[in-house]
Structures are given as C-alpha cells and as structure tokens.
Amino acid sequence: MEGGNQRLQLLTENNREVKIAFQRLCHRSKMRLDLSLGRNRLVEHLRAIAEKRIALADQIDIAELWDVLSPEPGWIDLNTMTGLCFPTDTDDDHESGVIRAMFKSRHHFKFKPDRFRPYTEEELAVIIALEEKAARQQRLIASGAAWINAVRSGSMDSRPERHQELSEIFKSYFLFEKDSPHCETARAIMKNAELKAIDGLFNHLVAVGEWCVDENVDLLRYHIPTDFSAGALDLAQSISTLSDDTLRKTGRVDLTHLPTLTIDGQSTLDFDDALSIEIRNDHLLVGIHISDVAQFIKKGDRLDQEALSRGSSIYLPDNRISMAPPVLAENRLSLKKGHIRPAISTMVKVSRTGDIISYDIFPSIIRVDHQLSYFEANMSADTSDAIERLHDIAIRFREKRLSQGAIQIILPEINVWLDETGVPMVNRVNRESPGRMLIAEMMILSNWLSAKFLAENDIPAIFRSQPKPKSRILKNGTGTLFQNWMQRKQLNRFVLSSTPDHHCGLGLDAYVTASSPIRKYFDLVTQRQLRAGLGLEAPYSKTEIEAIIEQLARPMADVGRIQFRRNRYWLLKYLEGRIGEKEEAIVLQRRRNAYAVLLKSYMIECNLPQSSGIDLKPEDLVQVTIQHVNARNNILSVFMG
C-alpha cells in the first residue's frame, strides 16, 4: 500500500500488476497466500481461486433471486445474501462468487461493497429499457459500419434493414457535425468503419443514391425550402389576373399608351421593373414602373408568411428558388410583354441637360411593348432613341452621385451557369455595358425617390444607409482593377433602419430598395409603405418595420452565403477541368508564407506560395499555373509559372 493517497499495488491472476485506490476494493478475503512461493506459483494459486469463484458465481440465478427478494426491497448485507445463495457452509470464496454474479448481471440489484438492494419493478423496467436501447444502438453502429465498408468495397448488393435511419444519421452529421443530435452515433460508426474524414460520409451518400455528386448541402444546412406549402399554392392559384377593363376602372393612372420596355438577363422569367421615356417641349419624362406585387400578396396571408420566411428569391447556377410561387412570380406578378399589369410608377421630370426637376409617384396600369435582354439592349444602344436617352440620363445621374461623394466600384462579373448537359460554363459580364448601366442607375434613381417620398411623408420604411469607408482609394469613379478590388474590401456594411440616413457608397441622402418586390421581401415591405402613402392600404408602424428588419437578418445572411458559396462551387468545378493552364494574376497583398492574388479571368482570390528569390508587391502582375482544384472542399491552389 502506498502512503497518503491510499493506493494498492496488486498482482492479478493474469500476472499483471495494477494500482487501484483503496476505496475501490469490493471484497477482502481472510485467506492468506505464502509470498515466499515466488511469483509464478502465486499466479497459479490466484488463477485457481478465481476459477473456483467464477464457478460459484455461475450457480447463482440473479433473476430468480430478485423474484424472491423484490416484493420487500431493502438493503441486504453480504453475509446474509451469501447465505441465501449458498445455504450450506460458506466462506470467502462464496462471498466473492456472490459479488461476481452481481457484477455480471447488474440490472436486478443495486449494490455497495458490503450490501445489496433489489430494484423495484419500475426501476428494473427502466434499466432493461436502457440496456435494450444501448444494445440497439450498438447494433445500429455495427450495421452502419458494415454498410459503409461493403459499399466502399463494392460488395453491397442490398441495403441494411435500417438504411433510412442510417442515411439520416450520416446526413445530419455531415451537415451539422458536433451540433448534430446524432453526433456520437455517427462518430462511432465512422470509427468502426475506419473512416477518418467526414467526406467519406458524403461519398457514401452519393454512392447509395441519397445525394448527387453536386448536392447543394447548404440548402439542407440552412433549412431552405425548395417547395411551397399546399396552402400557399392553393392561394396562388386562386388569385386571378384582373381583366383589362377591370384594371382601367380601378382609378389607377392609365399609362398603357406609353412605349414601355424591360431589360433583363436572358434567362429572366419574373419581370418586376420596366422603363418608359417621353420627349416633352422643354424636358424629358422618364417612367420607372414597378410591378404592384402588394396588390396580390396581402399582409399576413399564406403567401406573405412564406415570402417572409424565405426573405428573398435565390438565384444559383443550377437552380432558382422563388420567393413567391412561380405561378405568380412568372405570370400574374410579372410585367410580361403585351399584358396590362398594375404598377407603382415613378415619373421623373428631367431637364434637357439631365437635371432632375421633379418627380411623382402613383398607382398605374402599364403594358410592356418590348422585352429586351441586356445583349439586345446593348446592340440597339446606338439605334434606339429610348435606350440612348435613358443611357445619357443614367450617366448624368451617376455623375451627380459621384460629385456627392459616391464610391463607384467597377468590377467585371463572372457569370456561371450550366449547359443542357449539366456542364458548368463561365463568361465575363461587363457591368458597365449600356443596358446594365442604365438599368442599375434607373433603379438607384427610383429607390432614392421612393426614399424621399417616404421621408417627406414621415412614413417609416426599411431605409438603407452606409458609413464612410475605412479608407478611400478610388477618386471620381476611376481606378485600376486592383484599386477597385481593394476599395470594395474597405467598404463598411450597409445599415438597415426605420429612419433615413446618408448612404455614403451611393452618395445619396436617403435610400430604400423597392424595385424588386417579386424577388425581395424588403422591397415588398417598402412597396406597401409607398402604397400606404398613396392611400391604398394601412402602413406598417415603426415598431413593425424594426421587427421585420430583425426577423429577416438571419434569413438574408443565409441567402447571401448560399448564393456566394454555390457560385464559387460551380466556378471551382469549372476550374477543375483547367488544371495546368496558365492565368494572369494580380498580387493583392503579402501574407505569412504566401501572397494573396486575384485571378483576373475569373475574379477569384487564392494564395500563391512564396518562391525563393522572388519578391512581389501589391498590384504586380504575375503568371500562375492552376495546380489543384477541389470544388467540394473549396480548394484552389496555384504556383508561379
């Protein structure tokens, strides 16, 4: 026995020396062995004693003993229990046999080193249920590991009995890891299957057909619904398009005589904004017409509830998840060519020199005459008077914003989409093309005037503001690709509030977004506030606006994260087929053991390992070779060459 900590050094029948705390002794025998026999003889004696005691333990039927003692549960000392089990003469070996039997079957008696108490029937039922649950869990773990190994080796012809339960465990753990309720089970299965990386679960789920190789796990991770409830679909189907005669009798201003056009991406199906321009004697009258979505989606109805829970439509290279059911978003709400639609129109009086003289906002009906893609608008920029004049006004409005301190960041956009065979395709979009530029500026103009209208009428709304950047790199809207990229990193996040404030990035004194009510819930809320200012419905209160801002903070963050990650995934998937190709890159900054560089062709950042003897500085142009790409693991590596 060791000193103060009361630990014993013991020799076992298996010829092992162990140290245990004195308090852990369950039984002390009066028998003494002759230590002079030597270690081997001592072990032989210990083994013989142990075999005898095990044989005695096997004679005890613990369940039968419990049946006899459980009607009157109480503590029974070791000596009495030994006498009950062995009615004839007993010794230390019999006592040890009793203790060994109790250890072997622990769910009938609670015991301490020198006494025992039979569990009640209720306690026993709970213990047995827990044991069965543990056994079931062990069978599940064994089955899961066997399934993974069989699929991995290619020998699995059929799924195990509990394959669906196992699949849900694998999915949950892959998506949420330590936050999964199945974390411990999944880890045990992976350990038994000698699966070291969590990617192995993804590969297994693909192999058994639960997921596809390009599964968008973020939609599952962030619980994004891809379908609509039956109630929302039924309500959407029940909303009928108002007849032309009915629309003309609603008291809205009839603008169907105006030549009106939309300019959108080639794959757009939900058209929510249109433009018109009239030449007057001494000025131009620009019309910015937004689909009156709030006319159909009412506050608090099933469609509104689902739109609020989603927050926004989600546009991905391989999928589009609408905020409103497509039967509405792409039909009744959409400003489709040749159809009369209700709208909220902003008519802007502009001088011949491009100055804004006045504006008016009112409910209207319009009919789109021309539905143009950006490409078609660009091609007709020099031949269409309407597009040319709108473009000139857009340029002048931007110049005014720049003179007021706006930060105009000009960066190409990398558009990623899938062809008809599912192969990712990439093209570089010039966001400064005439069509894109004029649409961007017209929407900024419309949103600014909507903010002015709401502020002047003291109507709370979801106003956007932006503090000054951390540092100012760009001057007067000009700058290199490097400067534009780095300036974007210096911008502060926009702020949402129920009251207006200055938007530094746009150079405007107030700003809202109201131009995409089909696609964004914030815009739908703002449109409702505009309608309230026009007497069409009751407004949200300031408290309600602030609650909506808070409620949508998480969903909107998730939408942004999902769109960014999925675009990056498919861009990396595209680059997986371009390993070994050389690309021009701009050095952005030096890091610990590498440089951060921007691949110009794809506008994507990655690390460039430092090369001995080469010292690079920000804005240097270098040629790199794509070395390794793994879209699923978000890996892109390059080297100098």
Side-chain angles (χ1 to χ4, degrees), residues 121-138:
E121 287 190 19
E122 293 77 11
E123 289 173 325
L124 182 60
V126 171
I127 292 169
I128 291 174
L130 289 173
E131 287 185 350
E132 289 176 350
K133 181 180 179 181
R136 181 181 183 276
Q137 182 77 346
Q138 289 305 311

Side-chain angles (χ1 to χ4, degrees), residues 597-618:
V597 299
L598 175 69
L599 301 188
K600 289 176 61 179
S601 297
Y602 304 108
M603 300 302 291
I604 188 171
E605 279 192 40
C606 62
N607 282 337
L608 172 65
Q610 290 185 23
S611 300
S612 59
I614 300 177
D615 187 24
L616 302 174
K617 59 183 183 299

Side-chain angles (χ1 to χ4, degrees), residues 228 231-242 269-272 291-298 301-304 307 313 322-336 341 517-519 524:
F228 288 88
L233 290 174
D234 289 344
L235 181 55
Q237 291 284 2
S238 70
I239 297 174
S240 59
T241 304
L242 300 176
L269 298 173
D270 46 357
F271 305 98
D272 48 17
S291 172
D292 192 354
V293 176
Q295 173 75 22
F296 299 98
I297 300 180
K298 304 298 184 182
D301 69 13
R302 291 296 296 272
L303 292 172
D304 185 54
S313 295
S322 181
M323 185 179 79
V327 69
L328 276 181
E330 299 171 11
N331 291 285
R332 299 173 182 85
L333 304 181
S334 186
L335 304 180
K336 298 176 72 174
R341 294 286 192 254
I518 298 177
R519 309 171 187 182
L524 176 57

Side-chain angles (χ1 to χ4, degrees), residues 452-471:
K452 283 176 66 70
F453 175 86
L454 292 165
E456 289 167 358
N457 287 278
D458 199 26
I459 300 173
I462 302 172
F463 290 97
R464 289 177 179 247
S465 61
Q466 188 179 42
K468 292 181 180 179
K470 301 178 186 74
S471 65

Side-chain angles (χ1 to χ4, degrees), residues 426-446:
V426 172
N427 74 316
R428 192 181 177 94
V429 175
N430 176 16
R431 297 172 67 182
E432 290 300 292
S433 67
R436 289 181 182 274
M437 188 269 185
L438 80 85
I439 286 295
E441 291 299 325
M442 288 297 109
M443 294 308 110
I444 294 173
L445 173 60
S446 172

Side-chain angles (χ1 to χ4, degrees), residues 305-323:
Q305 291 172 21
E306 292 217 18
L308 174 59
S309 68
R310 294 164 184 258
S312 170
S313 295
I314 303 177
Y315 296 92
L316 309 170
D318 55 340
N319 198 3
R320 178 173 58 202
I321 304 170
S322 181
M323 185 179 79

